[in-house]
Amino acid sequence: MKETKSTSRGRVMAALYGDIPNKTPFTIYEEKIERSEYERNLRNNGLCLVKRVVSYSIRRPNVKIRSYSFTDEKGRYLIRTIYSTPQGELTTLVQPDGFTTWTHERMFKSPEDYKALLFFIKDSVVVPNYDAVCNLQERLGEDYVVRDNLPLEPLQALISDYMGIDRYCIEWMDNRDEIMKLYDALVDVARKIYPIVAEGPLEFCNYGGNVIPMVIGEENFKKYFVPHYNEAAEILHKKGKLIGCHLDGDNTLIMNAVAETALDYIEAYDPGISPSVAEARKVWPDKTLWLNWPSSWQLESAEEIYNKTMAILKEAAPGNNFILGVTEDIPKFKIKENLTSIASAINDYDNNKN
């Protein structure tokens, strides 16, 4: 157990290790907020920025990659990337847009792409990239936490990175043998990454996420997700590292299955669509609950933002294993008001509690 600290970073780490910080940790992904006067004031008041990095890189020596950008007839700035393999070409089409990127085309478009995609995955060479993260936490200071990241879970990678939900569901029913070849190849790549992250300089990491339980189902989640969390956790725990998952969907179907994992924390948990904070604390008493302040509530009034934050904090009592975070975009015309209201509620709650 780590000693409770009173800096922004210290509070986050204390909560991750099960302590009760002297103030409720409040975090936001660094790219979700502009550097500004109000942002500086929020940081001075305890807001902690989350910087997400990777301590490894993946090279594919036998895949040629080329990209070009253009503006389409709708005025959208688009980037087309072509991946040339000995088994054929794969292409993607994305649209950078502010804090995010819209994916219009993923690599896998039809069963004709199985051979090329399998080659693409198997060609992966994983190498440490510790220079990119070495001393990064020290350089950024106590207003930041720096988090390492494992890739998406093997099956989730097929959904989110390569196929998309609709295509994945069709292929799962029609070509499962081919799906499993890709899955097995992704498992092999993931197993090369676990020890690199475990040996790396950062204290904690996320493993995958964005799982949609209604698509996966409880049975397949237990079969194709839980074992990988536990395998990675065993390797990281031996090196004193913490591991969590970005579960930002409706987790009702998998609450009990997640409880059985060796994950240390659940990040981006959204009580606006998942079971309440009180219920999550009950089902996962030994895991740190790291919220996404519900995106569906972000258009509420400042008063309602404050009141709902208060309600969340009361459900999270006594405050151990709990972090209040923002992991999604807030509308630009609301971000200052909303974050200020959340911070005010935290201050008032903690002051009254103490």
Side-chain angles (χ1 to χ4, degrees):
M1 178 142 339
K2 299 293 184 180
E3 180 182 356
T4 301
K5 298 179 181 179
S6 58
T7 65
S8 297
R9 174 185 171 274
R11 295 183 190 106
V12 172
M13 297 310 301
L16 288 175
Y17 281 101
D19 286 344
I20 301 179
N22 68 335
K23 182 178 181 179
T24 301
F26 182 28
T27 67
I28 188 170
Y29 291 170
E30 65 165 350
E31 68 272 17
K32 301 297 183 186
I33 185 170
E34 296 176 324
R35 300 300 161 272
S36 60
E37 182 180 359
Y38 87 86
E39 175 266 347
R40 184 173 67 249
N41 291 336
L42 285 167
R43 280 194 289 130
N44 290 340
N45 195 28
L47 179 66
C48 188
L49 305 183
V50 179
K51 187 171 186 66
R52 297 173 292 171
V53 299
V54 289
S55 60
Y56 57 91
S57 60
I58 298 177
R59 303 169 185 169
R60 297 180 178 89
N62 301 298
V63 177
K64 295 181 180 179
I65 304 173
R66 63 186 190 277
S67 297
Y68 63 91
S69 60
F70 62 97
T71 302
D72 70 0
E73 67 279 0
K74 297 180 180 179
R76 301 178 301 181
Y77 175 77
L78 302 171
I79 300 174
R80 169 75 71 186
T81 302
I82 301 97
Y83 303 86
S84 299
T85 82
Q87 298 295 328
E89 285 192 345
L90 303 164
T91 65
T92 60
L93 184 66
V94 300
Q95 177 187 350
D97 188 7
F99 289 144
T100 191
T101 298
W102 298 101
T103 300
H104 294 286
E105 295 179 18
R106 288 179 170 81
M107 282 189 186
F108 187 96
K109 298 175 181 64
S110 76
E112 295 178 357
D113 294 326
Y114 272 114
K115 289 183 179 180
L117 184 53
L118 183 60
F119 183 93
F120 177 87
I121 295 169
K122 286 189 170 184
D123 198 44
S124 300
V125 177
V126 184
V127 295
N129 189 22
Y130 297 151
D131 287 347
V133 299
C134 186
N135 298 323
L136 182 58
Q137 180 67 73
E138 181 181 351
R139 297 200 308 271
L140 292 174
E142 293 296 307
D143 287 354
Y144 278 80
V145 288
V146 181
R147 190 189 80 198
D148 211 335
N149 287 272
L150 293 169
L152 288 174
E153 306 89 334
L155 202 62
Q156 190 62 37
L158 292 177
I159 299 171
S160 297
D161 288 343
Y162 299 119
M163 292 184 172
I165 293 175
D166 292 347
R167 174 52 60 181
Y168 164 81
C169 290
I170 293 170
E171 297 303 318
W172 182 255
M173 298 307 296
D174 292 349
N175 295 300
R176 195 167 305 180
D177 288 347
E178 296 298 323
I179 284 277
M180 295 313 297
K181 291 177 185 177
L182 300 177
Y183 167 83
D184 288 339
L186 287 164
V187 170
D188 289 341
V189 175
R191 285 175 172 160
K192 296 173 184 177
I193 296 173
Y194 302 155
I196 293 176
V197 173
E199 294 287 352
L202 300 177
E203 296 176 87
F204 67 107
C205 73
N206 267 27
Y207 188 174
N210 297 123
V211 178
I212 304 176
M214 288 180 288
V215 173
I216 297 298
E218 182 182 19
E219 180 180 348
N220 283 338
F221 182 78
K222 289 181 177 180
K223 184 175 182 180
Y224 296 109
F225 286 73
V226 170
H228 298 299
Y229 298 142
N230 292 341
E231 181 180 345
E234 182 178 3
I235 294 170
L236 269 77
H237 287 163
K238 287 179 180 178
K239 296 296 181 178
K241 307 295 174 65
L242 301 177
I243 180 172
C245 187
H246 182 100
L247 294 178
D248 59 346
D250 179 356
N251 294 296
T252 304
L253 287 175
I254 61 171
M255 296 292 287
N256 291 329
V258 171
E260 297 171 4
T261 70
L263 294 170
D264 300 297
Y265 64 90
I266 306 302
E267 190 250 4
Y269 186 87
D270 188 332
I273 55 177
S274 273
S276 68
V277 169
E279 179 64 20
R281 298 274 284 175
K282 180 180 178 181
V283 179
W284 304 330
D286 299 324
K287 299 186 189 303
T288 295
L289 187 64
W290 191 341
L291 296 192
N292 171 47
W293 203 96
S295 297
S296 59
W297 300 352
Q298 293 286 5
L299 293 179
E300 300 280 3
S301 67
E303 181 181 6
E304 192 62 18
I305 297 283
Y306 176 96
N307 291 337
K308 288 189 172 182
T309 303
M310 276 290 191
I312 286 174
L313 295 170
K314 290 175 182 177
E315 288 189 46
N320 61 305
N321 299 95
F322 180 76
I323 303 169
L324 188 57
V326 175
T327 65
E328 302 288 347
D329 295 347
I330 301 175
K332 291 181 179 179
F333 67 94
K334 287 282 288 178
I335 186 168
K336 179 179 179 180
E337 176 184 277
N338 290 8
L339 293 177
T340 301
S341 296
I342 295 169
S344 295
I346 291 173
N347 284 340
D348 291 347
Y349 177 83
D350 288 336
N351 289 337
N352 290 332
K353 180 181 66 175
N354 297 329

